[in-house]
Amino acid sequence: MNNEGLAHPGTEQLCAFGLGQLDAAKAAEIESHVAGCAVCCQTLWSLPDDRLVAVLRQAFHEPPHVGRAPETTTVLPAAAPQGPHMPAELAGHPRYRILDVLGTGGMGVVYKAEHRLMERMVALKVIDRGLTSNPAVVERFRREVKAAAQLNHPNIVHAYDADQAGDSHFLVMEFVEGTTLARLVEQQGPLPVAQACDAVRQAALGLQRAFEHGMVHRDIKPHNLMRTPQGRVKILDFGLARLVSEAGAGGTGVSPVAGLDRRDADPTDEPASPSLTQLGMLMGTADYMAPEQAADAHAADIRADIYSLGCTLYYLLTGQTPFPEGTVLDKLLAHRQRAPRPLSDFRDDIPPALTRVLERMMDKDPAQRYQTPEEAARALRPFLNVRPAPVVSRRWIWFAAAAAAVFLLVGALAVTAAVFFFLRGRGETVFATIGPHDVPLTRDGITADQGGWRIEANGARSVALFEVIVPDGVENCQVIYRAKLKAENVQGRAYLEMLCRFPDQGEYFSKGLKDPIEGTTDWVSRETPFYLKKGEKPDLIKLNVVIEGTGTIWIKDISLRQTSLPYGF
């Protein structure tokens, strides 16, 4: 429908629409008009950018010279994709023999190729010429590819080189046989818990290497995670963001969509074409984007990737994104304001501890998430071998019923003895207790008081309290760190923290974030569990308490208990 003959909304009204300040009826009316009106669409594009205005553009027909990857809601300041027609210069390239087209998207075309001399399969991503028209951008891109090439990690698709064939610039990457996690879920449905956690944990390990090199991906999602037939997960598209960033943001050093953010931009580099800066851009994909990344991409750091990784885990476990309904703006606002549907709405085999891990990865506040990808990987480790709930056969049900009848015939005494034996076998075993005469490892700000210890905090601190040598037999079980806590004027959360040390593997932790204390409270009992599968035998457990703000807490009645794993773990 062509709306150009109708009355056009004024600039002020379009501005209010872009900022989400209109009521639903008026917003719908303007949205319908703009969707079919090239004049108002272009006017909306030319308005000064608010932090969320760029995402509104995705809801309408794109203006000239703006392309979009076909399977995402990513905004790219690029020309339309070149399509699968191979440039003549590339067809006759002296080093690479083109074998097949692997795919097309907003960035350009990806070819499967063979290195003629080394006889090695590679992937060539030919970058759209709309992104390589500025020589300064191309030079910066080559340097960024060199930086990305340092990310030699088994969970990152390796970038080998950046080259040129005539006017076509292309990236030479490791060729990976496999399928994306998005396609895997499309084909198989939600993944088993252990498989989903393993995939996300591998991706976190790759992000940790990038983090150590000062890099942020900005577009973690199932489409950018490739799983090989051997089960290895690799992150795609590190090394492309500087190209799009410079082409679309005039040299601001912001990395959009698929790729990389380097915080060491050279301020002497020439800016890209000013005409492209007017388009604005949204860095990332709305379905998986952290709230702070949508609000201010400059302020987003590796914790935004951790949030996106949490959204990816949610998708792998449920088969849908955290907020599948609505426009791009609706989704971004949901990431900022709402909680997604609980995992329990989709399936009943999710361990409660995994739900807490996911909630922390997707916390709205970056300060409350895991602070590094390695921390997230450690938190997911206990769930890599989650066993499905056992299937009870009809024969077993018949046998159980017969056994119950026998118990009734034998008499109440036999039944009582059996029940006692069952409860005793499933009960807790206390293998360490710590009393008021034990000496804490950290003495700074800690005094004995009220049958325990009083801890003063003038700022956020993690207090190392005690270390316990783990006895033999503590495996294939749940270890529980339990204590009583009391708070006085605590600003911020306080909770228990347990670190389990595994020989030759380092430390893994559990934090009692589900039930923290704050403010002023009387004595309350708190605990945090750690799940050990068969063969996992820590040799040392460290017992800490964390105070994220200021105030005073007391802790007493500390114990370590061993109990069976939750049903279905």
Side-chain angles (χ1 to χ4, degrees):
M1 178 178 177
N2 189 345
N3 293 330
E4 293 189 15
L6 302 179
H8 301 293
T11 301
E12 183 177 344
Q13 204 168 31
L14 284 173
C15 234
F17 170 68
L19 293 172
Q21 296 173 346
L22 300 179
D23 59 63
K26 191 62 178 177
E29 178 185 340
I30 292 182
E31 180 175 351
S32 175
H33 176 83
V34 175
C37 177
V39 174
C40 289
C41 184
Q42 190 61 44
T43 301
L44 185 63
W45 239 265
S46 66
L47 294 176
D49 273 349
D50 175 75
R51 290 174 177 175
L52 289 177
V53 166
V55 305
L56 292 167
R57 298 171 179 165
Q58 184 65 26
F60 311 127
H61 298 300
E62 295 160 339
H65 312 301
V66 178
R68 177 171 58 187
E71 62 176 351
T72 71
T73 52
T74 299
V75 178
L76 284 172
Q82 297 175 20
H85 303 292
M86 186 190 312
E89 302 90 344
L90 190 61
H93 198 280
R95 285 195 302 278
Y96 300 104
R97 181 166 62 92
I98 305 301
L99 302 176
D100 197 5
V101 177
L102 296 177
T104 61
M107 294 294 297
V109 186
V110 183
Y111 297 95
K112 180 181 180 180
E114 179 186 29
H115 193 288
R116 298 180 186 271
L117 179 62
M118 301 179 66
E119 297 183 350
R120 177 177 66 185
M121 292 297 111
V122 295
L124 302 186
K125 179 165 282 191
V126 180
I127 308 302
D128 190 278
R129 294 180 184 180
L131 297 172
T132 58
S133 59
N134 189 320
V137 171
V138 174
E139 180 58 30
R140 176 72 70 86
F141 172 58
R142 288 173 175 169
R143 294 204 304 268
E144 287 303 316
V145 170
K146 291 179 182 179
Q150 299 175 13
L151 298 179
N152 187 11
H153 190 274
N155 296 118
I156 298 177
V157 172
H158 196 62
Y160 295 128
D161 194 11
D163 207 339
Q164 183 175 358
D167 294 333
S168 299
H169 295 266
F170 60 90
L171 177 66
V172 185
M173 300 179 297
E174 171 190 6
F175 175 74
V176 180
E177 291 279 2
T179 184
T180 66
L181 295 184
R183 182 63 55 84
L184 189 65
V185 172
E186 289 174 5
Q187 295 172 346
Q188 302 181 10
L191 303 184
V193 170
Q195 187 178 348
C197 291
D198 180 49
V200 171
R201 177 178 177 272
Q202 290 188 55
L205 294 176
L207 287 176
Q208 179 65 26
R209 175 60 61 87
F211 170 65
E212 292 166 357
H213 283 76
M215 299 179 183
V216 182
H217 190 282
R218 301 290 195 197
D219 197 25
I220 292 295
K221 57 187 176 184
H223 309 78
N224 277 339
L225 300 177
M226 180 76 74
R227 185 177 184 271
T228 70
Q230 295 75 35
R232 177 69 57 79
V233 172
K234 289 177 173 284
I235 304 172
L236 304 174
D237 281 351
F238 268 112
L240 291 179
R242 179 63 65 190
L243 176 66
V244 183
S245 171
E246 294 296 331
T252 62
V254 180
S255 49
V257 196
L260 166 72
D261 181 21
R262 295 281 293 177
R263 300 282 178 164
D264 54 357
D266 184 355
T268 64
D269 283 348
E270 296 179 24
S273 169
S275 62
L276 286 175
T277 67
Q278 298 175 2
L279 296 179
M281 65 178 74
L282 174 64
M283 285 147 286
T285 304
D287 285 321
Y288 304 91
M289 188 184 298
E292 71 275 12
Q293 187 174 340
D296 185 357
H298 296 274
D301 54 27
I302 193 64
R303 296 171 296 181
D305 282 349
I306 294 173
Y307 182 94
S308 299
L309 204 55
C311 294
T312 297
L313 178 57
Y314 185 96
Y315 174 82
L316 299 183
L317 291 171
T318 66
Q320 69 174 41
T321 58
F323 306 105
E325 306 297 333
T327 65
V328 174
L329 180 59
D330 292 333
K331 294 176 180 181
L332 293 179
L333 292 177
H335 280 292
R336 182 185 294 182
Q337 300 170 356
R338 291 168 41 202
R341 285 178 59 190
L343 296 177
S344 57
D345 285 0
F346 299 91
R347 53 198 295 177
D348 57 6
D349 62 341
I350 305 294
L354 177 57
T355 299
R356 293 194 291 272
V357 170
L358 182 60
E359 288 173 350
R360 187 173 180 191
M361 293 178 73
M362 294 181 61
D363 198 294
K364 310 295 185 188
D365 182 359
Q368 305 307 323
R369 296 178 206 146
Y370 299 105
Q371 298 300 290
T372 66
E374 185 178 25
E375 289 184 11
R378 288 178 179 177
L380 290 168
R381 185 176 180 273
F383 309 102
L384 299 191
N385 282 329
V386 175
R387 293 181 293 276
V391 177
V392 181
S393 67
R394 293 180 180 271
R395 180 178 298 177
W396 173 251
I397 294 173
W398 178 88
F399 175 79
V406 171
F407 278 133
L408 289 174
L409 292 174
V410 170
L413 182 60
V415 173
T416 302
V419 171
F420 173 77
F421 176 79
F422 174 79
L423 292 177
R424 185 172 182 269
R426 298 285 292 182
E428 293 182 347
T429 300
V430 179
F431 65 87
T433 59
I434 298 170
H437 299 294
D438 293 299
V439 179
L441 296 171
T442 301
R443 304 302 299 274
D444 181 26
I446 302 180
T447 56
D449 189 32
Q450 299 189 32
W453 297 271
R454 173 190 175 113
I455 304 173
E456 300 287 347
N458 296 320
R461 61 182 302 198
S462 178
V463 182
L465 294 176
F466 301 98
E467 294 181 348
V468 177
I469 298 175
V470 182
D472 293 336
V474 179
E475 63 170 315
N476 194 30
C477 66
Q478 182 179 188
V479 174
I480 299 174
Y481 168 23
R482 184 174 296 167
K484 289 184 178 179
L485 296 173
K486 177 182 175 182
E488 182 177 289
N489 297 325
V490 172
Q491 305 299 316
R493 302 182 300 179
Y495 49 85
L496 302 177
E497 178 184 62
M498 170 171 50
L499 293 89
C500 293
R501 188 183 73 183
F502 294 85
D504 303 322
Q505 295 184 38
E507 294 179 346
Y508 299 85
F509 62 84
S510 171
K511 297 176 182 287
L513 291 167
K514 183 179 180 182
D515 296 308
I517 64 171
E518 56 186 324
T520 299
T521 70
D522 202 350
W523 289 105
V524 292
S525 181
R526 290 292 184 266
E527 63 182 40
T528 183
F530 194 98
Y531 301 96
L532 299 171
K533 64 175 183 270
K534 188 174 182 179
E536 291 185 335
K537 301 178 181 180
D539 62 354
L540 186 73
I541 293 179
K542 299 180 180 180
L543 305 179
N544 302 341
V545 64
V546 177
I547 309 173
E548 295 183 344
T550 61
T552 304
I553 71 165
W554 287 261
I555 183 169
K556 68 177 182 179
D557 297 347
I558 299 174
S559 66
L560 275 175
R561 300 160 183 264
Q562 176 185 357
T563 187
S564 57
L565 288 169
Y567 180 75
F569 189 90

